[in-house]
Structure formats: C-alpha cells, structure tokens
Amino acid sequence: PFNRTGSGPLIFILTSIPGLPMSSSWMALPLCCLYLLMLLGNCTLLWMIKTDHSLHTPMYYWLSILAMADLGLSLSTLPTMLGIFWFESTSLCFEACVVQMYFIHSFSAIESGVLVAMAFDRFIAICYPLRYASVLTSSLIMKAAGVIFMRGIFVVLPVAILMQKMPFCGSRVLSHSFCLHQDMLRLVCGDVRVNSLYGLTAVILTKGLDSLTILLSYMMIIRAVLNIVTPETRAKAFSTCISHLCAVLTFYIPLIGLSITHRFGKHLPPLTHTLLADAYLLVPPVLNPLVYSWKTKQIRRRILILLHRRG
C-alpha cells in the first residue's frame, strides 16, 4: 500500500473530459465563461439584495444565502478545473484533494439546506400568507442560516477525517477534474466499510431528508393552491414557486444521477460520470441567478434600471 508514511507525498492524478486532449482551448474558454457568468450573476444578486432596501424580505435573504452557497460550490472546483484545461496541471497532493473534497461536499450540503428553507418560505407564503411576516422574522432566518451552515460544516468533517487514515495503492487516477468522496474511496486498498457507511449516512441525513422535506412542502403547497377559487390567483400563487422549483431540479437531478452512477453504474462509459459531475457542480450556480433574475419581478426591474442608467 502507498500511504503518507512512504518515500514521498501521495499524489492523485485528475482527469479531464474523456476523449478530449489534455490542453483544449475550446473547452477551457467555455469553462472560463461559465465561471465568469457564475461570479457575475451571484455577485450581482448579492449586491442588489444588499443595496436595495425593498429586497430586504425573507425570500431575498434566502436567495442571498443560496448565492453564497453557489459561489462556494463553484470556487471549490475552479482551481483544478481551470488548471487542467489551461495549464495541463493534473497532479494534486492528497491533502489538497481532501480539502477540496471537504469544501465541495460541505457547500453542497449547505445549498441543499438552503433549498429546504426556501421551500418552507414558499409554504408559509402560500398556505399562511397572513402569518408570513410574523413567522419568518430576521432573527429566525439568521438562526436557520446558522444551523444550515453548521450542519454542512460538521456533517462532512468526519468524511475528511476518516479519509486521512486510509491507505492507497495501485492506481491513483481519479475520474473527475476535482476530488469527490466516492471517487477517492474506490482507490483505497484497505477496508472502506466505515467510510462508505458514514458517507451514505451523511447523504441520507442531508440531501435525503432535505429532498423528502421539499417534496412534502410542495405536496401541501399544491393542495393549498388547488383550494384557491379563482384561476388567476391560483396561477399567481404557483408562479411564485417556479424559480425555486427550477433551482431544486437543477440541483437534485444531477446529484441523484451522479450518486446512482457512482454506486451502481461502474459499467457506464467514463464520459457519463464526468458530465453528471460537471452538471451537478457547475449548472446550478450558473442557472440560479439567471432563473431568479428572469422570474422575479423586483430583481428584473432593478436590473433594467441599472442597464438604463449605464445606457
């Protein structure tokens, strides 16, 4: 077994997109554009929500926390993704790989928690509109945000600690352009039952419970919307959920697909794993600001005002 007590540091080899040359400018340029779009979109959202007092409401507070989670998730993958395609830098030391894995999974758990909080926000707004302001106070939002961040930080911490103790042997080639827990675990030449069991438990306790909570919230939302008499009011009530539904689908569909392929899809071509992982980590941070800017009247109006002033 090759471990950290050997003759040299443990180095992992990251993988670019299968079938593409290591240095591919036509792939590096779109990646840079995606990261720039992500940075511009999420930073613009945060700036608008901070400076416009009309956006200081619970829904926009949650949106700003979602933007921060998106920024963290994308910035966790940016160094290695761009390093591969711009500089052909594929090697990454074990410690850096564990740190990257920790931040990717932590911010993913945080984003999942924020999506649950936003589902609760929509549930209160539609099912109990008269109690919305009294239930979702600034104090409650701050406490809930703290719990969401603490959960993301501490649930994933044992995964990183357990990985530090694992011996590695044979191939050290990872399947992606960044480090993920299941991908690192398949290179371990020791007993991985504890790591695998805790990893699965962490996923169930975060994204598993979160997805069920969101599903339950929307079942109650749909029931409340169907009880509204006038079609116009019914359509208006449900339209307030469209942005959040888009955020949920773009986050959970690639995540579920990636989890299934890592555990049961070893026979699938490597490109499938790569595309699902990239979609899971890159698509939500890019799409969320665009969807919310397009579907949210106040944000869209603020953007138009800014564009008009610059024009």
Side-chain angles (χ1 to χ4, degrees):
F2 190 103
N3 54 34
R4 287 152 300 287
T5 61
S7 56
L10 175 56
I11 302 295
F12 285 120
I13 307 300
L14 301 171
T15 305
S16 66
I17 296 176
L20 286 181
M22 187 61 65
S23 179
S24 178
S25 58
W26 70 268
M27 190 61 213
L29 285 172
L31 266 179
C32 279
C33 290
L34 277 177
Y35 278 115
L36 286 172
L37 189 60
M38 177 277 301
L39 286 168
L40 180 64
N42 286 291
C43 289
T44 301
L45 269 183
L46 287 170
W47 178 77
M48 283 194 299
I49 292 169
K50 181 181 178 181
T51 57
D52 190 340
H53 290 282
S54 69
L55 300 180
H56 290 182
T57 61
M59 186 179 81
Y60 296 106
Y61 288 145
W62 291 125
L63 183 54
S64 65
I65 298 169
L66 181 67
M68 286 189 281
D70 280 336
L71 282 168
L73 193 59
S74 290
L75 292 175
S76 298
T77 63
L78 184 144
T80 53
M81 289 279 280
L82 295 186
I84 286 174
F85 290 104
W86 276 120
F87 308 109
E88 301 182 42
S89 174
T90 59
S91 59
L92 191 66
C93 72
F94 173 79
E95 289 76 13
C97 198
V98 169
V99 169
Q100 185 182 48
M101 176 203 72
Y102 172 76
F103 279 113
I104 287 173
H105 291 295
S106 287
F107 279 113
S108 178
I110 289 168
E111 178 148 352
S112 180
V114 176
L115 290 173
V116 172
M118 295 176 86
F120 179 72
D121 177 280
R122 293 298 85 206
F123 166 71
I124 297 295
I126 292 172
C127 298
Y128 303 99
L130 298 179
R131 298 174 59 187
Y132 182 76
S134 60
V135 171
L136 289 171
T137 60
S138 298
S139 173
L140 178 67
I141 292 169
M142 292 273 292
K143 290 174 184 175
V147 169
I148 289 167
F149 273 89
M150 289 298 104
R151 187 190 71 159
I153 290 168
F154 289 111
V155 166
V156 183
L157 191 59
V159 172
I161 293 171
L162 288 169
M163 189 62 73
Q164 292 272 3
K165 303 177 185 299
M166 291 291 101
F168 293 85
C169 55
S171 172
R172 283 169 278 147
V173 179
L174 295 170
S175 304
H176 306 293
S177 308
F178 35 79
C179 300
L180 295 176
H181 180 242
Q182 282 296 322
D183 199 20
M184 294 178 68
L185 213 56
R186 69 180 178 81
L187 303 181
V188 173
C189 56
D191 186 359
V192 298
R193 284 178 295 180
V194 174
N195 298 61
S196 188
L197 181 62
Y198 182 81
L200 181 62
T201 303
V203 169
I204 291 170
L205 290 177
T206 54
K207 290 143 192 173
L209 285 178
D210 290 351
S211 57
L212 287 176
T213 305
I214 292 170
L215 180 62
L216 180 62
S217 297
Y218 271 98
M219 287 172 63
M220 292 188 284
I221 287 170
I222 290 169
R223 188 177 68 178
V225 169
L226 292 177
N227 287 333
I228 298 173
V229 177
T230 60
E232 294 81 9
T233 310
R234 190 184 304 161
K236 185 178 179 181
F238 195 69
S239 68
T240 63
C241 301
I242 291 176
S243 300
H244 179 254
L245 274 174
C246 290
V248 169
L249 292 175
T250 55
F251 179 79
Y252 278 104
I253 289 176
L255 170 63
I256 293 168
L258 182 63
S259 300
I260 291 171
T261 53
H262 263 308
R263 292 184 183 276
F264 309 109
K266 294 180 173 61
H267 62 284
L268 293 172
L271 184 61
T272 305
H273 295 259
T274 301
L275 292 178
L276 280 171
D278 290 350
Y280 158 53
L281 293 173
L282 293 178
V283 172
V286 173
L287 281 188
N288 285 342
L290 297 176
V291 169
Y292 274 96
S293 299
W294 172 53
K295 290 299 298 179
T296 308
K297 187 189 301 182
Q298 292 93 324
I299 293 177
R300 190 168 66 245
R301 185 171 65 242
R302 184 70 192 274
I303 291 173
L304 290 173
I305 292 170
L306 289 172
L307 290 175
H308 179 71
R309 285 176 181 173
R310 289 181 180 273

